[in-house]
Amino acid sequence: MSSNHHTKQSPSHLDECPTCRRRAARMEQSVVKQVPKRRPTTKKPNPVKLKKTTFTSKPVGEFPSLKSGFIISHIHALSKDHAYVWHYSEKNILVVNTTGGVEQTLKLDTNSAVIDIGVSPRSGNIWYACGDGAVVEMMKNKTCLTRFNLGFEPRCLCLSSKNQVLVGLECNMLVLSIGGHIVTDLQKINPDVDLVEFCPSKIAQCPYTDFFCACDFFHHYFVLLDPSLKIIWWFRGSTVTDARGVVKDTGYSSPDLFWPHTAAFEKDGTIIVGNKDDNNALIAIGRDGHVLQVISREEDEPYALCLHKDGNLWVGLDTRLVKVYQLSGKQVTLRQPLTL
Protein backbone atom coordinates (compact mmCIF):
# COMPACT_ATOMS: atom_id res chain seq x y z
CA MET A 1 0.00 0.00 0.00
CA SER A 2 1.41 3.38 -0.92
CA SER A 3 1.59 6.04 1.71
CA ASN A 4 0.54 9.60 1.12
CA HIS A 5 2.55 10.85 4.14
CA HIS A 6 5.54 13.11 3.55
CA THR A 7 8.58 13.54 5.73
CA LYS A 8 7.76 17.13 6.54
CA GLN A 9 4.22 17.91 7.52
CA SER A 10 2.53 21.04 8.73
CA PRO A 11 1.64 21.34 12.45
CA SER A 12 -2.05 21.03 11.63
CA HIS A 13 -1.47 17.75 9.78
CA LEU A 14 0.50 16.33 12.74
CA ASP A 15 -2.44 17.07 14.99
CA GLU A 16 -4.76 15.07 12.72
CA CYS A 17 -2.57 12.13 11.56
CA PRO A 18 -1.61 9.48 14.18
CA THR A 19 1.07 7.94 11.86
CA CYS A 20 2.89 11.27 11.56
CA ARG A 21 2.62 11.82 15.30
CA ARG A 22 4.27 8.43 15.99
CA ARG A 23 7.02 9.11 13.39
CA ALA A 24 7.71 12.54 14.93
CA ALA A 25 7.86 11.00 18.41
CA ARG A 26 10.40 8.34 17.25
CA MET A 27 12.57 11.01 15.61
CA GLU A 28 12.45 13.11 18.76
CA GLN A 29 13.48 10.13 20.93
CA SER A 30 16.44 9.31 18.68
CA VAL A 31 17.67 12.92 18.89
CA VAL A 32 17.36 12.86 22.67
CA LYS A 33 19.47 9.67 22.85
CA GLN A 34 22.28 11.36 20.86
CA VAL A 35 22.54 14.28 23.31
CA PRO A 36 25.06 13.46 26.07
CA LYS A 37 23.79 13.65 29.58
CA ARG A 38 24.88 16.67 31.59
CA ARG A 39 27.26 15.97 34.39
CA PRO A 40 26.23 17.41 37.71
CA THR A 41 28.28 20.55 38.36
CA THR A 42 29.39 21.78 41.71
CA LYS A 43 27.72 25.06 42.38
CA LYS A 44 30.28 27.78 42.96
CA PRO A 45 29.55 29.98 45.93
CA ASN A 46 28.84 33.59 45.17
CA PRO A 47 31.89 35.74 45.90
CA VAL A 48 31.65 37.69 49.12
CA LYS A 49 31.46 41.36 48.33
CA LEU A 50 33.71 43.28 50.69
CA LYS A 51 32.90 46.86 51.41
CA LYS A 52 35.87 48.88 50.20
CA THR A 53 36.97 51.46 52.72
CA THR A 54 39.43 54.17 51.81
CA PHE A 55 41.97 56.31 53.57
CA THR A 56 40.82 59.76 54.55
CA SER A 57 43.88 61.92 55.05
CA LYS A 58 43.49 64.52 57.77
CA PRO A 59 46.42 66.98 58.13
CA VAL A 60 47.89 66.90 61.64
CA GLY A 61 51.02 69.01 61.30
CA GLU A 62 53.35 70.72 58.85
CA PHE A 63 56.74 72.26 59.57
CA PRO A 64 60.22 72.92 58.13
CA SER A 65 62.60 70.30 59.50
CA LEU A 66 66.02 71.94 59.23
CA LYS A 67 67.46 75.32 58.33
CA SER A 68 70.14 73.64 56.23
CA GLY A 69 70.46 70.44 54.28
CA PHE A 70 69.05 69.22 51.01
CA ILE A 71 66.63 66.27 51.08
CA ILE A 72 64.65 64.68 53.90
CA SER A 73 65.82 61.13 53.26
CA HIS A 74 64.57 59.22 56.29
CA ILE A 75 61.71 59.42 58.78
CA HIS A 76 61.14 56.87 61.51
CA ALA A 77 58.09 57.22 63.78
CA LEU A 78 59.01 56.64 67.42
CA SER A 79 55.43 57.12 68.59
CA LYS A 80 52.23 58.64 67.29
CA ASP A 81 53.60 62.13 67.94
CA HIS A 82 57.39 61.80 67.63
CA ALA A 83 59.76 60.76 64.87
CA TYR A 84 63.40 60.72 63.80
CA VAL A 85 63.98 63.08 60.86
CA TRP A 86 67.21 63.00 58.88
CA HIS A 87 68.54 64.90 55.87
CA TYR A 88 70.69 63.18 53.27
CA SER A 89 74.44 63.49 54.13
CA GLU A 90 73.73 65.40 57.37
CA LYS A 91 75.43 64.15 60.54
CA ASN A 92 72.57 65.07 62.85
CA ILE A 93 69.29 63.22 63.42
CA LEU A 94 66.44 65.22 64.94
CA VAL A 95 63.72 63.95 67.26
CA VAL A 96 60.70 66.09 66.33
CA ASN A 97 57.03 66.20 67.29
CA THR A 98 53.98 66.86 65.12
CA THR A 99 54.23 70.60 65.69
CA GLY A 100 57.81 70.71 64.42
CA GLY A 101 59.43 71.09 67.82
CA VAL A 102 62.96 69.65 67.97
CA GLU A 103 63.16 67.75 71.25
CA GLN A 104 66.58 66.16 70.76
CA THR A 105 69.54 66.22 68.37
CA LEU A 106 71.61 63.05 67.86
CA LYS A 107 75.09 63.48 66.37
CA LEU A 108 76.46 60.76 64.08
CA ASP A 109 80.15 60.14 64.68
CA THR A 110 81.96 59.81 61.32
CA ASN A 111 84.41 61.74 59.16
CA SER A 112 82.78 60.34 56.02
CA ALA A 113 79.48 61.26 54.38
CA VAL A 114 76.40 59.49 55.76
CA ILE A 115 74.70 57.62 52.91
CA ASP A 116 71.64 56.19 54.69
CA ILE A 117 70.29 55.36 58.13
CA GLY A 118 68.03 52.69 59.57
CA VAL A 119 66.48 51.82 62.91
CA SER A 120 66.60 48.30 64.35
CA PRO A 121 63.07 46.91 64.99
CA ARG A 122 64.48 44.87 67.89
CA SER A 123 66.77 47.22 69.78
CA GLY A 124 65.52 50.59 68.52
CA ASN A 125 69.17 51.59 67.92
CA ILE A 126 70.09 53.78 64.97
CA TRP A 127 72.39 52.30 62.32
CA TYR A 128 74.04 54.31 59.56
CA ALA A 129 76.08 53.50 56.46
CA CYS A 130 78.94 55.78 55.44
CA GLY A 131 80.60 56.63 52.15
CA ASP A 132 83.81 54.88 53.23
CA GLY A 133 81.88 51.59 53.66
CA ALA A 134 81.62 51.68 57.45
CA VAL A 135 78.36 50.48 59.02
CA VAL A 136 77.90 51.99 62.47
CA GLU A 137 75.45 51.39 65.34
CA MET A 138 74.51 54.13 67.80
CA MET A 139 73.94 52.62 71.22
CA LYS A 140 71.42 53.79 73.81
CA ASN A 141 74.10 55.88 75.56
CA LYS A 142 74.74 57.66 72.19
CA THR A 143 78.10 55.87 71.76
CA CYS A 144 78.75 55.03 68.08
CA LEU A 145 80.26 51.60 67.41
CA THR A 146 81.56 50.57 63.97
CA ARG A 147 80.17 47.08 63.41
CA PHE A 148 81.92 46.28 60.11
CA ASN A 149 83.21 47.79 56.86
CA LEU A 150 81.68 46.77 53.54
CA GLY A 151 84.69 47.76 51.47
CA PHE A 152 82.49 49.76 49.10
CA GLU A 153 80.02 52.66 49.24
CA PRO A 154 76.47 51.29 49.74
CA ARG A 155 73.39 52.76 48.13
CA CYS A 156 70.96 52.21 51.02
CA LEU A 157 70.53 50.49 54.38
CA CYS A 158 67.71 48.67 56.20
CA LEU A 159 67.54 46.80 59.52
CA SER A 160 65.34 43.69 59.45
CA SER A 161 63.11 42.10 62.06
CA LYS A 162 65.63 39.23 62.26
CA ASN A 163 68.31 41.62 63.56
CA GLN A 164 70.10 41.56 60.21
CA VAL A 165 71.44 44.35 58.00
CA LEU A 166 70.23 44.78 54.41
CA VAL A 167 72.50 46.72 52.10
CA GLY A 168 71.60 47.86 48.61
CA LEU A 169 74.31 48.08 45.98
CA GLU A 170 74.40 48.34 42.22
CA CYS A 171 72.73 45.29 40.61
CA ASN A 172 72.30 43.48 43.92
CA MET A 173 71.19 43.48 47.55
CA LEU A 174 72.83 41.68 50.47
CA VAL A 175 71.66 40.53 53.88
CA LEU A 176 74.42 40.56 56.48
CA SER A 177 74.69 39.60 60.13
CA ILE A 178 75.38 42.38 62.63
CA GLY A 179 79.00 41.24 62.43
CA GLY A 180 79.18 41.80 58.67
CA HIS A 181 78.97 38.19 57.42
CA ILE A 182 76.88 37.70 54.25
CA VAL A 183 73.75 35.67 55.04
CA THR A 184 71.71 36.11 51.84
CA ASP A 185 72.53 37.28 48.33
CA LEU A 186 69.64 38.57 46.19
CA GLN A 187 71.25 37.30 42.98
CA LYS A 188 71.60 33.76 44.38
CA ILE A 189 67.99 33.70 45.63
CA ASN A 190 66.73 34.84 42.19
CA PRO A 191 69.20 33.26 39.72
CA ASP A 192 66.86 33.56 36.71
CA VAL A 193 66.21 37.28 37.17
CA ASP A 194 68.11 39.90 35.20
CA LEU A 195 69.29 42.42 37.80
CA VAL A 196 71.43 44.55 35.47
CA GLU A 197 69.02 47.45 35.89
CA PHE A 198 68.59 47.17 39.66
CA CYS A 199 69.95 49.99 41.79
CA PRO A 200 67.88 50.22 45.00
CA SER A 201 67.66 53.73 46.39
CA LYS A 202 65.72 52.72 49.53
CA ILE A 203 64.71 49.48 51.25
CA ALA A 204 61.79 49.22 53.67
CA GLN A 205 60.40 46.23 55.57
CA CYS A 206 56.77 45.76 56.54
CA PRO A 207 56.63 45.34 60.35
CA TYR A 208 53.52 43.15 60.04
CA THR A 209 54.29 40.76 57.15
CA ASP A 210 58.14 41.00 57.04
CA PHE A 211 57.96 41.57 53.26
CA PHE A 212 60.50 43.99 51.78
CA CYS A 213 60.05 46.82 49.31
CA ALA A 214 63.09 48.00 47.36
CA CYS A 215 62.59 51.25 45.45
CA ASP A 216 64.66 51.94 42.34
CA PHE A 217 64.05 55.61 41.63
CA PHE A 218 66.32 55.81 38.57
CA HIS A 219 64.88 52.75 36.81
CA HIS A 220 61.28 53.75 37.62
CA TYR A 221 59.98 50.80 39.64
CA PHE A 222 59.89 49.18 43.03
CA VAL A 223 60.07 45.49 43.74
CA LEU A 224 58.22 43.50 46.42
CA LEU A 225 60.18 40.66 48.02
CA ASP A 226 59.18 37.99 50.51
CA PRO A 227 61.13 37.59 53.80
CA SER A 228 63.65 35.29 52.08
CA LEU A 229 64.27 37.92 49.33
CA LYS A 230 62.38 35.97 46.68
CA ILE A 231 61.02 38.52 44.19
CA ILE A 232 57.19 38.62 44.08
CA TRP A 233 56.65 41.37 41.51
CA TRP A 234 57.90 44.61 39.96
CA PHE A 235 55.61 47.65 40.03
CA ARG A 236 56.11 50.23 37.25
CA GLY A 237 53.08 52.46 37.73
CA SER A 238 50.46 51.38 35.20
CA THR A 239 51.72 47.76 35.09
CA VAL A 240 52.92 45.13 37.53
CA THR A 241 55.05 42.14 36.44
CA ASP A 242 55.22 38.99 38.56
CA ALA A 243 58.21 36.65 38.89
CA ARG A 244 56.92 34.50 35.99
CA GLY A 245 56.93 37.50 33.65
CA VAL A 246 53.14 37.92 33.59
CA VAL A 247 52.23 41.58 33.14
CA LYS A 248 48.98 42.94 34.60
CA ASP A 249 47.28 46.31 34.64
CA THR A 250 47.38 48.05 38.03
CA GLY A 251 44.33 50.23 37.47
CA TYR A 252 46.53 53.33 37.80
CA SER A 253 47.54 55.67 35.02
CA SER A 254 50.77 57.55 35.66
CA PRO A 255 51.13 60.61 33.41
CA ASP A 256 54.76 59.76 32.68
CA LEU A 257 57.40 57.48 34.18
CA PHE A 258 56.98 56.12 37.69
CA TRP A 259 59.42 57.69 40.19
CA PRO A 260 59.33 56.02 43.65
CA HIS A 261 61.69 57.14 46.43
CA THR A 262 60.56 55.07 49.40
CA ALA A 263 57.62 53.11 50.84
CA ALA A 264 55.54 52.66 53.98
CA PHE A 265 53.32 49.75 54.97
CA GLU A 266 49.81 49.40 56.39
CA LYS A 267 48.85 46.57 58.80
CA ASP A 268 47.41 44.37 56.02
CA GLY A 269 50.49 44.78 53.81
CA THR A 270 49.09 47.67 51.75
CA ILE A 271 52.04 49.69 50.41
CA ILE A 272 52.10 53.49 50.29
CA VAL A 273 54.50 54.96 47.73
CA GLY A 274 55.03 58.46 46.35
CA ASN A 275 55.14 59.11 42.58
CA LYS A 276 56.95 62.25 41.48
CA ASP A 277 55.37 62.46 38.02
CA ASP A 278 51.74 62.37 39.13
CA ASN A 279 51.89 65.72 40.91
CA ASN A 280 53.80 63.98 43.72
CA ALA A 281 50.93 61.60 44.44
CA LEU A 282 50.88 59.29 47.45
CA ILE A 283 49.26 56.06 46.26
CA ALA A 284 48.06 53.01 48.20
CA ILE A 285 48.87 49.67 46.52
CA GLY A 286 47.47 46.28 47.52
CA ARG A 287 49.70 43.24 47.93
CA ASP A 288 48.42 41.98 44.58
CA GLY A 289 49.93 45.05 42.88
CA HIS A 290 46.60 46.79 42.21
CA VAL A 291 46.39 50.50 43.04
CA LEU A 292 43.66 51.05 45.60
CA GLN A 293 43.64 54.79 46.04
CA VAL A 294 45.45 58.09 45.52
CA ILE A 295 45.71 59.42 49.08
CA SER A 296 47.02 62.91 48.37
CA ARG A 297 49.14 65.01 46.02
CA GLU A 298 51.95 67.10 47.47
CA GLU A 299 53.57 70.34 46.36
CA ASP A 300 56.98 68.67 46.10
CA GLU A 301 58.59 65.23 45.85
CA PRO A 302 57.89 62.88 48.79
CA TYR A 303 61.32 61.45 49.62
CA ALA A 304 60.63 59.87 53.03
CA LEU A 305 57.56 58.05 54.36
CA CYS A 306 56.72 56.35 57.63
CA LEU A 307 53.31 55.09 58.77
CA HIS A 308 52.88 54.65 62.51
CA LYS A 309 50.62 51.86 63.77
CA ASP A 310 48.18 54.47 65.13
CA GLY A 311 47.64 55.89 61.64
CA ASN A 312 49.97 58.91 61.53
CA LEU A 313 51.67 59.09 58.13
CA TRP A 314 54.89 61.13 58.22
CA VAL A 315 55.88 62.56 54.83
CA GLY A 316 59.22 64.25 54.15
CA LEU A 317 59.38 66.45 51.05
CA ASP A 318 62.21 67.69 48.86
CA THR A 319 61.68 71.24 50.16
CA ARG A 320 62.82 70.26 53.69
CA LEU A 321 59.16 70.22 54.68
CA VAL A 322 57.57 67.55 56.89
CA LYS A 323 53.85 66.80 56.79
CA VAL A 324 51.92 64.56 59.14
CA TYR A 325 48.58 63.04 58.12
CA GLN A 326 46.14 61.01 60.17
CA LEU A 327 44.83 58.24 57.91
CA SER A 328 41.40 57.46 59.27
CA GLY A 329 39.14 54.57 58.31
CA LYS A 330 39.57 50.81 58.36
CA GLN A 331 42.34 49.02 56.53
CA VAL A 332 41.96 49.08 52.76
CA THR A 333 40.60 45.74 51.57
CA LEU A 334 42.48 43.89 48.85
CA ARG A 335 40.99 43.83 45.36
CA GLN A 336 41.33 40.06 45.23
CA PRO A 337 42.75 37.30 47.44
CA LEU A 338 46.54 37.25 47.58
CA THR A 339 48.23 34.31 45.88
CA LEU A 340 52.00 34.08 46.17
Side-chain angles (χ1 to χ4, degrees):
M1 181 187 292
S2 62
S3 173
N4 295 324
H5 299 295
H6 303 284
T7 304
K8 287 181 96 176
Q9 301 292 344
S10 64
S12 59
H13 182 79
L14 286 175
D15 293 338
E16 297 174 358
C17 178
T19 304
C20 286
R21 285 204 303 271
R22 287 193 296 269
R23 182 186 296 162
R26 286 195 302 270
M27 292 176 63
E28 191 173 321
Q29 287 176 1
S30 65
V31 171
V32 171
K33 288 180 182 179
Q34 294 173 8
V35 177
K37 292 183 178 180
R38 284 188 177 183
R39 294 181 180 180
T41 57
T42 305
K43 187 177 180 182
K44 294 183 179 180
N46 294 327
V48 179
K49 292 183 179 180
L50 299 175
K51 183 180 179 181
K52 181 180 177 181
T53 54
T54 56
F55 286 121
T56 302
S57 55
K58 176 185 176 183
V60 176
E62 177 180 320
F63 55 89
S65 63
L66 283 176
K67 294 180 180 179
S68 63
F70 177 54
I71 298 169
I72 300 175
S73 299
H74 188 88
I75 293 180
H76 175 80
L78 297 167
S79 65
K80 183 179 180 181
D81 302 316
H82 295 83
Y84 288 140
V85 175
W86 173 71
H87 278 244
Y88 177 73
S89 78
E90 289 284 336
K91 296 180 182 179
N92 290 326
I93 297 176
L94 303 183
V95 179
V96 299
N97 55 37
T98 51
T99 63
V102 178
E103 300 191 0
Q104 193 177 7
T105 300
L106 306 175
K107 184 172 179 57
L108 305 180
D109 185 14
T110 177
N111 294 324
S112 179
V114 179
I115 304 301
D116 198 10
I117 74 168
V119 179
S120 169
R122 288 196 178 184
S123 66
N125 290 349
I126 296 171
W127 289 63
Y128 54 100
C130 305
D132 60 5
V135 176
V136 186
E137 180 182 11
M138 178 182 281
M139 314 304 286
K140 295 294 184 184
N141 61 1
K142 308 302 181 293
T143 301
C144 295
L145 175 65
T146 300
R147 285 295 187 178
F148 54 88
N149 195 297
L150 294 165
F152 57 85
E153 180 177 315
R155 295 184 58 82
C156 51
L157 180 77
C158 176
L159 278 297
S160 78
S161 59
K162 294 182 179 179
N163 203 30
Q164 295 173 330
V165 183
L166 280 82
V167 176
L169 58 153
E170 191 170 348
C171 305
N172 203 4
M173 198 164 76
L174 300 176
V175 180
L176 303 101
S177 68
I178 59 173
H181 302 291
I182 296 177
V183 177
T184 308
D185 187 318
L186 180 69
Q187 289 184 341
K188 293 180 180 179
I189 296 295
N190 304 273
D192 300 326
V193 177
D194 183 6
L195 295 174
V196 173
E197 290 190 348
F198 178 68
C199 295
S201 51
K202 199 70 176 176
I203 305 169
Q205 185 180 33
C206 177
Y208 310 102
T209 65
D210 286 343
F211 277 46
F212 293 99
C213 176
C215 293
D216 188 334
F217 179 80
F218 297 103
H219 291 117
H220 312 291
Y221 70 82
F222 75 84
V223 59
L224 182 70
L225 308 103
D226 71 11
S228 68
L229 292 194
K230 186 71 176 177
I231 293 175
I232 305 301
W233 43 251
W234 292 264
F235 183 97
R236 291 182 171 85
S238 58
T239 61
V240 60
T241 307
D242 66 19
R244 298 167 298 173
V246 178
V247 181
K248 294 183 179 179
D249 180 43
T250 64
Y252 172 71
S253 178
S254 180
D256 199 353
L257 295 173
F258 183 63
W259 297 82
H261 282 291
T262 187
F265 289 90
E266 243 286 0
K267 293 179 181 178
D268 62 351
T270 297
I271 308 164
I272 300 174
V273 178
N275 180 17
K276 169 188 172 183
D277 269 359
D278 186 12
N279 292 322
N280 307 307
L282 296 178
I283 56 176
I285 305 164
R287 281 172 58 184
D288 60 353
H290 187 81
V291 173
L292 304 168
Q293 182 189 349
V294 175
I295 298 173
S296 70
R297 286 184 170 88
E298 305 299 330
E299 62 266 35
D300 219 313
E301 294 179 48
Y303 267 84
L305 295 174
C306 182
L307 181 59
H308 189 259
K309 61 183 179 180
D310 288 334
N312 267 6
L313 178 68
W314 296 71
V315 183
L317 304 182
D318 185 21
T319 51
R320 302 195 302 274
L321 187 71
V322 175
K323 287 188 173 183
V324 186
Y325 291 107
Q326 172 65 38
L327 300 186
S328 59
K330 297 179 181 179
Q331 297 175 16
V332 177
T333 55
L334 299 181
R335 181 171 177 263
Q336 60 188 18
L338 174 65
T339 304
L340 298 180

